[in-house]
Amino acid sequence: MIGQIIGGSYGEIWIRQKSGERIELGDLLVADDILLQVFDLEYGSLMEKNDIARISGMQLEGYGDTHVHENELRNYILVKAKPLFNLRTRRIPKHLPSFFNILRRASSEDFKFLEKPENAIYLGKIRSGSKILDVPVYINGKDALKHHILIPATTGRGKSNLVKVILWNLIGKSYAGVLVLDAHNEYYSYKKNGKNYGLKYHPDAKNNVIYYSTNPPVGERALRVNIKKVKPWHLREIIEFSPAQEDALYLYYKEYGEYWIKAILASGMNGERNEIKGVKPETLASLQRKLKVALEIDINKNGEVYERGKIFSTREGERTIRDICDFLEDGKIVILDTSSLSQNLELLISEMIMSEIFSRYKSYKEEGKLDYKPVISVVIEEAPRVLGEGKSNIFGTIAREGRKFNIGIIAITQLSSMIPREILANLNTKIILGNEMSSERKAIIGSAAQDLSKDDKMIASLDRGEAIISSIFTKFAIPIQIDSFEELVDRERVDRKRRENLLLFE
Amino acid sequence: MFEILSKISIRESPGDYGEPLIKNAQSVPLAMENFHPLNPLENVKIGFVDGGNNILFLSPGQAVHMIRLYYSIFKDSKKMEYGRYTFILDTRIMVEENAFDVRIYDVNSSYIFPERMRIGIEEIDEREKIARIGAYLRRIGEWLLVNRIMDRCDIIVRDGSLQTGEKKEYEYANRVFEHVNASTIIGFSKTCSLLTTGGYSLVAAIHHLSRMHGIKAPWYYHPVAKNISTIRGDMFVVKLHPFSEYAFRVEVYPENKAEKALGSLIPQSNDPTFIGYPYGLIDADVNARITEEEAKIYRNLLYNNADEFSRLQANAMNAHDLISEVR
């Protein structure tokens, strides 16, 4: 017995907390068969407001020996809770629990109805306030990935830990390939407290986690892309072109095919006669400058294009994009270390890969082969960069139409409000971490799959690793505690050792 | 209006208070030596009893009342036990017999009252006698409840005086006084209309006197008068907390246990809600109360089930209430 219902309405049930108990924001309680979640706490008193102020004055200002008799009876904590789920009918409750109902805390027994779905991804354990119940929470990975996932949170609330946990659980699962643009080079391998962590240390990583870097360690793949693979439409998002310049790009591409960049750069050099009729020299000069800067390339006096940066190459990398797409189609996790690339280059590479994937999957759909292909998802950090208002790129297309082609996005952001509502509403699973910014919470709440209108304070108070899953694939918004990635890896190491020891004995 | 009000002096500090004016008693002049210090006494089981009543249906020949009786027993600020009992009284006048027939419905099966009582019209001193049945039986019920819990307490505090008004009430009070063994009965009056011969409030005069002479509470004042024939025990005036703005009239039976009994109220009287007033009585008052809101619910239930004639009977007495509600 931790409290009793003393009033309220459907969305706001008032509970008097029993003295000596401590009910927290987010706590899960049970009244009749209805699962309730605490969303607000207030002080309650049977005493008048002025009396309370006077009592405090007397105690603070030393008015002799005073004592609030039966304090626990006259003063209390008023808990406000909302109904989450009917544990008996397993539906959204449509009635109020009985008046004066005595409540209890939810226990792991209450969540037996949560089944492990097909293609399950483990996300964490059910959390009641800050207490963790031994109930694992899964979602159907294939469904959730193709319907897109949004991970909104402010810094330090565990976004990358969550993504690592999700990816760790996807390794070796052939139903999904995931492209990770790793701007901080933190997913594949890193050191913490003298120990190695990262997706590389998953027992099935060898064949299932592919790592590309512009500075690859021995045995890993170099992230080099041949400029021949760059198409005019890939550049639209990272370079601002005038209509005349854009026309020129397409004219060159039409004329020179995959050599279009070289043709533009060489135009007008050493008597080269590869100008195209209708493209003015000043348009061409401007295009040459923009391409050189954006792609970190240049051309020498002999008309040979050479690379100044780390990623685009004139000789290597002809298969890189194709290989990456193949790996993704094989259901692997592909991590691109983009830590030493500019934001624009990172976008360009991802645009190239995802455009290729989109095109392939479109064809598979037309050919009726799509059902045999894994779902492909791309992890995008700072999602408003590519999903923000006025952006027209492959990611916007995926967010709107990707579901039809089994392609999804895992969008990570601190600024959900910068993503248009239409796209936010399409991100059908939201794993909401802590967020202090009220405008951001409003955007998340307004586009959630369940009614989270009362969850504002709860979201603000979510600590590191604490989250709420609101998804069209969950029966209610589930509060969870996400595992620490490092602990997950450590546990795996212990398990592996145990397995090896068992083998020795056999 | 302001001029008139400002002319009326309510700021008078008398030089001479006069003497206590108490009927059928020999008054004792107010004197400093009658103030006695009080020491707090712990580890005492104190019972508190109070009652509340409200009227649900009233006509000249029939009335329905609701009564609630409450007791609690405290020991060192902790409530050890309590009881809350509600009754519905259906009273009908028996014109030829000059009496009321009261059927008592015991909501909580407490068996404090009998199922039926016959109350003579002359037993009730006030006008509109049928309307007063509720308060009359509530007072009787309080005595019956005191009697019931007496053996479980060292001290019993009853809200109000130990003086009994109506004739039959005296019989019930007497039963209590006759059975007092080890316990002490206190009648604690939160209001007091006793006067001095100077026409001042007796309690205010004693309180003022203590202030004029810097007497620090807690204290009790005794004797107020000698040979008071209208009450059992003796009368005292007490102030139970130094920062209280209130002194109270109390009666204690047997009077020789007064100092200990009043001292045991000191630890109860430091609740800042009403400092200087025993918390147990606040608790009893709150729990015995039948508020207008609560009564209204039952009134509506009753009226909804009443036939046309009963409603017409009620109309014979409710026009005043109806007009009062006109805004």
Side-chain angles (χ1 to χ4, degrees), chain A residues 248-260 263 273-277:
Chain A
L249 289 180
Y250 284 94
L251 286 171
Y252 270 89
Y253 181 67
K254 197 175 164 196
E255 185 69 25
Y256 296 99
E258 58 184 15
Y259 296 99
W260 68 280
R273 304 302 307 159
N274 49 2
E275 290 100 337
I276 287 180
K277 203 179 165 188

mmCIF file of all heavy atoms in Angstrom, chain A residues 248-260 263 273-277:
data_model
loop_
_atom_site.group_PDB
_atom_site.id
_atom_site.type_symbol
_atom_site.label_atom_id
_atom_site.label_comp_id
_atom_site.label_asym_id
_atom_site.label_seq_id
_atom_site.Cartn_x
_atom_site.Cartn_y
_atom_site.Cartn_z
ATOM 1 N N ALA A 248 24.331 23.893 -65.937
ATOM 2 C CA ALA A 248 25.651 23.553 -66.471
ATOM 3 C C ALA A 248 26.097 22.179 -65.975
ATOM 4 O O ALA A 248 26.604 21.356 -66.745
ATOM 5 C CB ALA A 248 26.660 24.627 -66.075
ATOM 6 N N LEU A 249 25.847 21.912 -64.667
ATOM 7 C CA LEU A 249 26.246 20.613 -64.090
ATOM 8 C C LEU A 249 25.612 19.468 -64.872
ATOM 9 O O LEU A 249 26.281 18.509 -65.260
ATOM 10 C CB LEU A 249 25.756 20.495 -62.640
ATOM 11 C CG LEU A 249 26.404 21.343 -61.553
ATOM 12 C CD1 LEU A 249 25.729 21.039 -60.219
ATOM 13 C CD2 LEU A 249 27.884 21.006 -61.436
ATOM 14 N N TYR A 250 24.320 19.619 -65.103
ATOM 15 C CA TYR A 250 23.608 18.526 -65.771
ATOM 16 C C TYR A 250 24.026 18.386 -67.242
ATOM 17 O O TYR A 250 24.086 17.278 -67.777
ATOM 18 C CB TYR A 250 22.092 18.703 -65.610
ATOM 19 C CG TYR A 250 21.650 18.312 -64.226
ATOM 20 C CD1 TYR A 250 21.531 19.266 -63.218
ATOM 21 C CD2 TYR A 250 21.409 16.971 -63.905
ATOM 22 C CE1 TYR A 250 21.171 18.904 -61.934
ATOM 23 C CE2 TYR A 250 21.044 16.610 -62.619
ATOM 24 C CZ TYR A 250 20.918 17.577 -61.634
ATOM 25 O OH TYR A 250 20.582 17.205 -60.381
ATOM 26 N N LEU A 251 24.303 19.536 -67.843
ATOM 27 C CA LEU A 251 24.753 19.481 -69.242
ATOM 28 C C LEU A 251 26.084 18.731 -69.330
ATOM 29 O O LEU A 251 26.298 17.883 -70.200
ATOM 30 C CB LEU A 251 24.898 20.901 -69.815
ATOM 31 C CG LEU A 251 23.566 21.610 -70.128
ATOM 32 C CD1 LEU A 251 23.800 23.071 -70.462
ATOM 33 C CD2 LEU A 251 22.867 20.904 -71.297
ATOM 34 N N TYR A 252 26.997 19.037 -68.409
ATOM 35 C CA TYR A 252 28.302 18.351 -68.409
ATOM 36 C C TYR A 252 28.135 16.864 -68.112
ATOM 37 O O TYR A 252 28.794 16.007 -68.688
ATOM 38 C CB TYR A 252 29.253 18.997 -67.394
ATOM 39 C CG TYR A 252 30.065 20.112 -68.018
ATOM 40 C CD1 TYR A 252 29.609 21.432 -68.045
ATOM 41 C CD2 TYR A 252 31.302 19.824 -68.608
ATOM 42 C CE1 TYR A 252 30.336 22.432 -68.632
ATOM 43 C CE2 TYR A 252 32.054 20.838 -69.207
ATOM 44 C CZ TYR A 252 31.574 22.149 -69.221
ATOM 45 O OH TYR A 252 32.305 23.120 -69.820
ATOM 46 N N TYR A 253 27.244 16.556 -67.143
ATOM 47 C CA TYR A 253 27.044 15.163 -66.796
ATOM 48 C C TYR A 253 26.476 14.374 -67.980
ATOM 49 O O TYR A 253 26.888 13.248 -68.264
ATOM 50 C CB TYR A 253 26.092 15.059 -65.593
ATOM 51 C CG TYR A 253 25.841 13.638 -65.161
ATOM 52 C CD1 TYR A 253 26.875 12.864 -64.610
ATOM 53 C CD2 TYR A 253 24.587 13.042 -65.315
ATOM 54 C CE1 TYR A 253 26.658 11.556 -64.223
ATOM 55 C CE2 TYR A 253 24.369 11.735 -64.923
ATOM 56 C CZ TYR A 253 25.404 10.985 -64.378
ATOM 57 O OH TYR A 253 25.193 9.689 -64.005
ATOM 58 N N LYS A 254 25.568 15.069 -68.695
ATOM 59 C CA LYS A 254 24.951 14.418 -69.858
ATOM 60 C C LYS A 254 26.004 14.157 -70.930
ATOM 61 O O LYS A 254 26.041 13.097 -71.565
ATOM 62 C CB LYS A 254 23.848 15.332 -70.413
ATOM 63 C CG LYS A 254 22.890 14.642 -71.334
ATOM 64 C CD LYS A 254 21.774 15.590 -71.728
ATOM 65 C CE LYS A 254 21.060 15.015 -72.934
ATOM 66 N NZ LYS A 254 20.246 16.022 -73.583
ATOM 67 N N GLU A 255 26.894 15.102 -71.073
ATOM 68 C CA GLU A 255 27.894 15.029 -72.132
ATOM 69 C C GLU A 255 29.034 14.075 -71.779
ATOM 70 O O GLU A 255 29.476 13.279 -72.589
ATOM 71 C CB GLU A 255 28.445 16.452 -72.389
ATOM 72 C CG GLU A 255 29.405 16.585 -73.551
ATOM 73 C CD GLU A 255 28.724 16.387 -74.907
ATOM 74 O OE1 GLU A 255 27.499 16.621 -74.993
ATOM 75 O OE2 GLU A 255 29.411 15.956 -75.868
ATOM 76 N N TYR A 256 29.505 14.172 -70.538
ATOM 77 C CA TYR A 256 30.741 13.435 -70.189
ATOM 78 C C TYR A 256 30.530 12.266 -69.234
ATOM 79 O O TYR A 256 31.494 11.605 -68.839
ATOM 80 C CB TYR A 256 31.763 14.399 -69.593
ATOM 81 C CG TYR A 256 32.213 15.448 -70.594
ATOM 82 C CD1 TYR A 256 31.672 16.729 -70.594
ATOM 83 C CD2 TYR A 256 33.179 15.131 -71.572
ATOM 84 C CE1 TYR A 256 32.065 17.686 -71.515
ATOM 85 C CE2 TYR A 256 33.571 16.081 -72.501
ATOM 86 C CZ TYR A 256 33.014 17.350 -72.474
ATOM 87 O OH TYR A 256 33.405 18.275 -73.401
ATOM 88 N N GLY A 257 29.299 12.041 -68.801
ATOM 89 C CA GLY A 257 29.040 10.906 -67.920
ATOM 90 C C GLY A 257 29.857 11.008 -66.647
ATOM 91 O O GLY A 257 29.962 12.095 -66.070
ATOM 92 N N GLU A 258 30.481 9.888 -66.227
ATOM 93 C CA GLU A 258 31.181 9.895 -64.932
ATOM 94 C C GLU A 258 32.446 10.761 -64.934
ATOM 95 O O GLU A 258 33.066 10.961 -63.884
ATOM 96 C CB GLU A 258 31.481 8.470 -64.475
ATOM 97 C CG GLU A 258 32.309 7.666 -65.424
ATOM 98 C CD GLU A 258 32.487 6.214 -64.936
ATOM 99 O OE1 GLU A 258 31.741 5.773 -64.037
ATOM 100 O OE2 GLU A 258 33.390 5.549 -65.449
ATOM 101 N N TYR A 259 32.818 11.275 -66.133
ATOM 102 C CA TYR A 259 33.993 12.164 -66.189
ATOM 103 C C TYR A 259 33.589 13.641 -66.142
ATOM 104 O O TYR A 259 34.367 14.517 -66.447
ATOM 105 C CB TYR A 259 34.808 11.880 -67.455
ATOM 106 C CG TYR A 259 35.380 10.476 -67.464
ATOM 107 C CD1 TYR A 259 34.760 9.461 -68.169
ATOM 108 C CD2 TYR A 259 36.524 10.175 -66.713
ATOM 109 C CE1 TYR A 259 35.241 8.175 -68.134
ATOM 110 C CE2 TYR A 259 37.013 8.885 -66.690
ATOM 111 C CZ TYR A 259 36.384 7.885 -67.391
ATOM 112 O OH TYR A 259 36.874 6.614 -67.351
ATOM 113 N N TRP A 260 32.395 13.910 -65.750
ATOM 114 C CA TRP A 260 31.864 15.273 -65.823
ATOM 115 C C TRP A 260 32.648 16.252 -64.947
ATOM 116 O O TRP A 260 32.858 17.392 -65.328
ATOM 117 C CB TRP A 260 30.375 15.308 -65.476
ATOM 118 C CG TRP A 260 30.049 14.986 -64.029
ATOM 119 C CD1 TRP A 260 29.979 13.760 -63.468
ATOM 120 C CD2 TRP A 260 29.769 15.925 -62.998
ATOM 121 N NE1 TRP A 260 29.676 13.836 -62.157
ATOM 122 C CE2 TRP A 260 29.533 15.175 -61.829
ATOM 123 C CE3 TRP A 260 29.684 17.317 -62.934
ATOM 124 C CZ2 TRP A 260 29.229 15.767 -60.611
ATOM 125 C CZ3 TRP A 260 29.370 17.907 -61.713
ATOM 126 C CH2 TRP A 260 29.148 17.145 -60.558
ATOM 127 N N ALA A 263 35.843 17.095 -66.635
ATOM 128 C CA ALA A 263 35.556 17.928 -67.804
ATOM 129 C C ALA A 263 35.334 19.379 -67.401
ATOM 130 O O ALA A 263 35.827 20.302 -68.049
ATOM 131 C CB ALA A 263 34.346 17.385 -68.546
ATOM 132 N N ARG A 273 39.026 22.030 -75.555
ATOM 133 C CA ARG A 273 37.832 22.586 -76.182
ATOM 134 C C ARG A 273 36.581 21.868 -75.664
ATOM 135 O O ARG A 273 35.742 21.433 -76.426
ATOM 136 C CB ARG A 273 37.926 22.441 -77.725
ATOM 137 C CG ARG A 273 39.141 23.046 -78.366
ATOM 138 C CD ARG A 273 39.304 24.544 -78.086
ATOM 139 N NE ARG A 273 38.099 25.286 -78.436
ATOM 140 C CZ ARG A 273 37.811 26.477 -77.947
ATOM 141 N NH1 ARG A 273 38.616 27.044 -77.054
ATOM 142 N NH2 ARG A 273 36.727 27.116 -78.325
ATOM 143 N N ASN A 274 36.529 21.631 -74.346
ATOM 144 C CA ASN A 274 35.369 20.886 -73.849
ATOM 145 C C ASN A 274 34.298 21.766 -73.183
ATOM 146 O O ASN A 274 33.524 21.307 -72.376
ATOM 147 C CB ASN A 274 35.781 19.771 -72.883
ATOM 148 C CG ASN A 274 36.730 20.286 -71.816
ATOM 149 O OD1 ASN A 274 37.032 21.489 -71.805
ATOM 150 N ND2 ASN A 274 37.192 19.410 -70.970
ATOM 151 N N GLU A 275 34.314 23.065 -73.565
ATOM 152 C CA GLU A 275 33.194 23.877 -73.082
ATOM 153 C C GLU A 275 31.911 23.368 -73.754
ATOM 154 O O GLU A 275 31.969 22.799 -74.839
ATOM 155 C CB GLU A 275 33.378 25.363 -73.442
ATOM 156 C CG GLU A 275 34.483 26.046 -72.688
ATOM 157 C CD GLU A 275 35.743 26.143 -73.528
ATOM 158 O OE1 GLU A 275 35.881 25.323 -74.468
ATOM 159 O OE2 GLU A 275 36.590 27.001 -73.232
ATOM 160 N N ILE A 276 30.821 23.651 -73.080
ATOM 161 C CA ILE A 276 29.531 23.251 -73.658
ATOM 162 C C ILE A 276 28.787 24.514 -74.040
ATOM 163 O O ILE A 276 28.792 25.492 -73.297
ATOM 164 C CB ILE A 276 28.736 22.401 -72.650
ATOM 165 C CG1 ILE A 276 29.392 21.021 -72.553
ATOM 166 C CG2 ILE A 276 27.267 22.280 -73.039
ATOM 167 C CD1 ILE A 276 28.747 20.068 -71.606
ATOM 168 N N LYS A 277 28.209 24.446 -75.193
ATOM 169 C CA LYS A 277 27.507 25.598 -75.728
ATOM 170 C C LYS A 277 26.415 26.059 -74.741
ATOM 171 O O LYS A 277 25.656 25.240 -74.220
ATOM 172 C CB LYS A 277 26.858 25.222 -77.066
ATOM 173 C CG LYS A 277 26.594 26.403 -77.951
ATOM 174 C CD LYS A 277 25.979 25.942 -79.262
ATOM 175 C CE LYS A 277 25.393 27.139 -79.989
ATOM 176 N NZ LYS A 277 24.636 26.721 -81.147
#
